[in-house]
Short mmCIF file of all heavy atoms in Angstrom, two decimals:
data_model
loop_
_atom_site.label_atom_id
_atom_site.label_comp_id
_atom_site.label_asym_id
_atom_site.label_seq_id
_atom_site.Cartn_x
_atom_site.Cartn_y
_atom_site.Cartn_z
N LEU A 294 -11.19 21.02 -11.49
CA LEU A 294 -12.09 20.13 -10.76
C LEU A 294 -13.49 20.35 -11.07
O LEU A 294 -13.90 21.44 -11.42
CB LEU A 294 -11.72 20.40 -9.27
CG LEU A 294 -10.30 20.20 -8.83
CD1 LEU A 294 -10.20 20.35 -7.26
CD2 LEU A 294 -9.75 18.81 -9.21
N PRO A 295 -14.37 19.28 -10.96
CA PRO A 295 -15.72 19.37 -11.42
C PRO A 295 -16.64 20.11 -10.41
O PRO A 295 -17.74 20.36 -10.75
CB PRO A 295 -16.13 18.00 -11.72
CG PRO A 295 -15.27 17.20 -10.69
CD PRO A 295 -14.01 17.87 -10.69
N PHE A 296 -16.18 20.35 -9.14
CA PHE A 296 -17.14 20.79 -8.15
C PHE A 296 -16.76 22.16 -7.70
O PHE A 296 -15.68 22.44 -7.12
CB PHE A 296 -17.16 19.80 -6.95
CG PHE A 296 -17.66 18.45 -7.39
CD1 PHE A 296 -16.85 17.42 -7.25
CD2 PHE A 296 -18.87 18.19 -7.82
CE1 PHE A 296 -17.21 16.08 -7.60
CE2 PHE A 296 -19.25 16.87 -8.21
CZ PHE A 296 -18.41 15.87 -8.06
N ALA A 297 -17.70 23.11 -7.84
CA ALA A 297 -17.52 24.46 -7.29
C ALA A 297 -18.42 24.52 -6.02
O ALA A 297 -19.46 23.94 -5.95
CB ALA A 297 -18.02 25.55 -8.35
N ILE A 298 -17.91 25.32 -5.07
CA ILE A 298 -18.64 25.44 -3.77
C ILE A 298 -20.05 25.97 -4.05
O ILE A 298 -20.94 25.46 -3.29
CB ILE A 298 -17.86 26.42 -2.84
CG1 ILE A 298 -16.44 25.76 -2.38
CG2 ILE A 298 -18.65 26.69 -1.60
CD1 ILE A 298 -15.73 26.57 -1.52
N SER A 299 -20.26 26.82 -4.88
CA SER A 299 -21.56 27.32 -5.14
C SER A 299 -22.55 26.28 -5.57
O SER A 299 -23.70 26.18 -5.26
CB SER A 299 -21.56 28.57 -6.05
OG SER A 299 -20.98 28.15 -7.34
N ASP A 300 -22.04 25.45 -6.52
CA ASP A 300 -22.89 24.32 -7.02
C ASP A 300 -23.23 23.29 -5.91
O ASP A 300 -24.36 22.82 -5.83
CB ASP A 300 -22.16 23.58 -8.18
CG ASP A 300 -21.95 24.48 -9.42
OD1 ASP A 300 -22.75 25.45 -9.57
OD2 ASP A 300 -21.03 24.21 -10.18
N ILE A 301 -22.22 23.09 -5.14
CA ILE A 301 -22.40 22.11 -4.01
C ILE A 301 -23.45 22.67 -3.04
O ILE A 301 -24.29 21.97 -2.62
CB ILE A 301 -21.03 21.82 -3.29
CG1 ILE A 301 -20.19 20.99 -4.25
CG2 ILE A 301 -21.30 21.05 -2.00
CD1 ILE A 301 -18.73 20.93 -3.85
N PHE A 302 -23.36 23.90 -2.68
CA PHE A 302 -24.29 24.48 -1.73
C PHE A 302 -25.70 24.44 -2.26
O PHE A 302 -26.63 24.07 -1.59
CB PHE A 302 -23.91 25.89 -1.39
CG PHE A 302 -24.83 26.60 -0.53
CD1 PHE A 302 -24.93 26.25 0.84
CD2 PHE A 302 -25.74 27.60 -1.01
CE1 PHE A 302 -25.83 26.92 1.68
CE2 PHE A 302 -26.62 28.20 -0.18
CZ PHE A 302 -26.72 27.85 1.14
N SER A 303 -25.86 24.84 -3.64
CA SER A 303 -27.15 24.80 -4.20
C SER A 303 -27.77 23.40 -4.19
O SER A 303 -28.96 23.18 -3.90
CB SER A 303 -27.07 25.25 -5.68
OG SER A 303 -26.63 26.60 -5.63
N ALA A 304 -26.93 22.40 -4.50
CA ALA A 304 -27.43 21.00 -4.47
C ALA A 304 -27.78 20.56 -3.15
O ALA A 304 -28.81 19.88 -2.89
CB ALA A 304 -26.35 20.05 -5.03
N ALA A 305 -27.05 20.90 -2.12
CA ALA A 305 -27.27 20.58 -0.72
C ALA A 305 -28.57 21.17 -0.30
O ALA A 305 -29.38 20.48 0.43
CB ALA A 305 -26.17 21.03 0.11
N VAL A 306 -28.93 22.41 -0.62
CA VAL A 306 -30.21 23.08 -0.32
C VAL A 306 -31.32 22.36 -0.97
O VAL A 306 -32.36 22.01 -0.22
CB VAL A 306 -30.15 24.56 -0.67
CG1 VAL A 306 -31.53 25.16 -0.62
CG2 VAL A 306 -29.10 25.35 0.16
N SER A 307 -31.21 21.95 -2.18
CA SER A 307 -32.27 21.29 -2.85
C SER A 307 -32.51 19.91 -2.23
O SER A 307 -33.63 19.39 -2.09
CB SER A 307 -31.96 21.10 -4.32
OG SER A 307 -31.89 22.35 -5.00
N ALA A 308 -31.44 19.14 -1.91
CA ALA A 308 -31.48 17.88 -1.30
C ALA A 308 -32.13 17.94 0.04
O ALA A 308 -33.02 17.14 0.46
CB ALA A 308 -30.12 17.29 -1.15
N SER A 309 -31.76 18.94 0.81
CA SER A 309 -32.35 19.23 2.12
C SER A 309 -33.90 19.53 2.07
O SER A 309 -34.69 18.96 2.84
CB SER A 309 -31.68 20.35 2.90
OG SER A 309 -30.34 20.11 3.04
N ASP A 310 -34.35 20.35 1.08
CA ASP A 310 -35.71 20.60 0.88
C ASP A 310 -36.49 19.39 0.53
O ASP A 310 -37.56 19.07 1.15
CB ASP A 310 -35.87 21.60 -0.24
CG ASP A 310 -35.44 23.06 0.11
OD1 ASP A 310 -35.27 23.25 1.39
OD2 ASP A 310 -35.27 23.84 -0.78
N ALA A 311 -35.91 18.51 -0.34
CA ALA A 311 -36.57 17.29 -0.75
C ALA A 311 -36.71 16.38 0.42
O ALA A 311 -37.77 15.66 0.66
CB ALA A 311 -35.86 16.59 -1.89
N HIS A 312 -35.60 16.32 1.31
CA HIS A 312 -35.66 15.40 2.45
C HIS A 312 -36.76 15.81 3.48
O HIS A 312 -37.38 15.00 4.03
CB HIS A 312 -34.28 15.44 3.16
CG HIS A 312 -34.16 14.79 4.47
ND1 HIS A 312 -34.09 13.44 4.58
CD2 HIS A 312 -34.29 15.27 5.76
CE1 HIS A 312 -34.05 13.07 5.81
NE2 HIS A 312 -34.20 14.17 6.55
N LEU A 313 -36.88 17.15 3.63
CA LEU A 313 -37.87 17.61 4.63
C LEU A 313 -39.32 17.37 4.18
O LEU A 313 -40.18 17.19 4.98
CB LEU A 313 -37.63 19.10 4.92
CG LEU A 313 -36.35 19.41 5.68
CD1 LEU A 313 -36.13 20.89 5.71
CD2 LEU A 313 -36.35 18.80 7.06
N ARG A 314 -39.57 17.26 2.80
CA ARG A 314 -40.77 17.03 2.30
C ARG A 314 -41.13 15.61 2.47
O ARG A 314 -42.30 15.22 2.78
CB ARG A 314 -40.95 17.48 0.84
CG ARG A 314 -40.84 18.97 0.60
CD ARG A 314 -41.30 19.24 -0.87
NE ARG A 314 -40.55 18.68 -1.85
CZ ARG A 314 -39.43 19.21 -2.37
NH1 ARG A 314 -39.01 20.38 -2.00
NH2 ARG A 314 -38.69 18.61 -3.30
N ARG A 315 -40.19 14.75 2.33
CA ARG A 315 -40.48 13.27 2.54
C ARG A 315 -39.16 12.64 3.10
O ARG A 315 -38.26 12.21 2.25
CB ARG A 315 -40.82 12.62 1.24
CG ARG A 315 -41.38 11.22 1.36
CD ARG A 315 -41.69 10.60 0.08
NE ARG A 315 -42.24 9.24 0.25
CZ ARG A 315 -42.33 8.39 -0.77
NH1 ARG A 315 -42.00 8.63 -1.93
NH2 ARG A 315 -42.78 7.09 -0.48
N PRO A 316 -38.92 12.67 4.37
CA PRO A 316 -37.63 12.34 4.91
C PRO A 316 -36.96 11.06 4.54
O PRO A 316 -35.75 11.02 4.43
CB PRO A 316 -37.94 12.31 6.46
CG PRO A 316 -39.21 13.13 6.67
CD PRO A 316 -40.00 12.95 5.37
N PHE A 317 -37.75 9.93 4.35
CA PHE A 317 -37.10 8.72 4.06
C PHE A 317 -37.75 7.96 2.84
O PHE A 317 -38.62 7.21 2.92
CB PHE A 317 -37.27 7.70 5.27
CG PHE A 317 -36.37 8.14 6.37
CD1 PHE A 317 -36.81 8.99 7.47
CD2 PHE A 317 -34.94 7.83 6.40
CE1 PHE A 317 -36.05 9.37 8.41
CE2 PHE A 317 -34.15 8.25 7.43
CZ PHE A 317 -34.65 9.08 8.46
N GLN A 318 -37.33 8.42 1.67
CA GLN A 318 -37.75 7.93 0.42
C GLN A 318 -37.28 6.46 0.25
O GLN A 318 -38.01 5.62 -0.30
CB GLN A 318 -37.41 8.75 -0.79
CG GLN A 318 -38.06 10.10 -0.76
CD GLN A 318 -37.69 10.98 -1.94
OE1 GLN A 318 -37.34 10.40 -2.96
NE2 GLN A 318 -37.72 12.26 -1.80
N ARG A 319 -36.10 6.16 0.75
CA ARG A 319 -35.57 4.86 0.73
C ARG A 319 -35.07 4.56 2.16
O ARG A 319 -34.13 5.07 2.62
CB ARG A 319 -34.43 4.72 -0.22
CG ARG A 319 -34.70 5.07 -1.65
CD ARG A 319 -33.53 4.93 -2.58
NE ARG A 319 -33.18 3.52 -2.74
CZ ARG A 319 -32.16 3.12 -3.36
NH1 ARG A 319 -31.31 3.91 -3.94
NH2 ARG A 319 -31.81 1.78 -3.45
N SER A 320 -35.82 3.64 2.85
CA SER A 320 -35.68 3.63 4.28
C SER A 320 -34.34 3.04 4.76
O SER A 320 -33.93 3.28 5.79
CB SER A 320 -36.88 2.73 4.84
OG SER A 320 -36.86 1.43 4.15
N ASP A 321 -33.75 2.15 3.83
CA ASP A 321 -32.48 1.62 4.35
C ASP A 321 -31.26 2.56 4.06
O ASP A 321 -30.33 2.49 4.77
CB ASP A 321 -32.19 0.33 3.67
CG ASP A 321 -32.04 0.31 2.24
OD1 ASP A 321 -32.71 1.10 1.56
OD2 ASP A 321 -31.17 -0.36 1.66
#
Side-chain angles (χ1 to χ4, degrees):
L294 302 184
F296 299 115
I298 292 181
S299 58
D300 294 338
I301 291 169
F302 177 74
S303 296
V306 169
S307 296
S309 299
D310 288 344
H312 172 80
L313 292 171
R314 288 196 300 271
R315 191 180 180 195
F317 290 95
Q318 296 183 24
R319 300 183 66 186
S320 55
D321 66 319

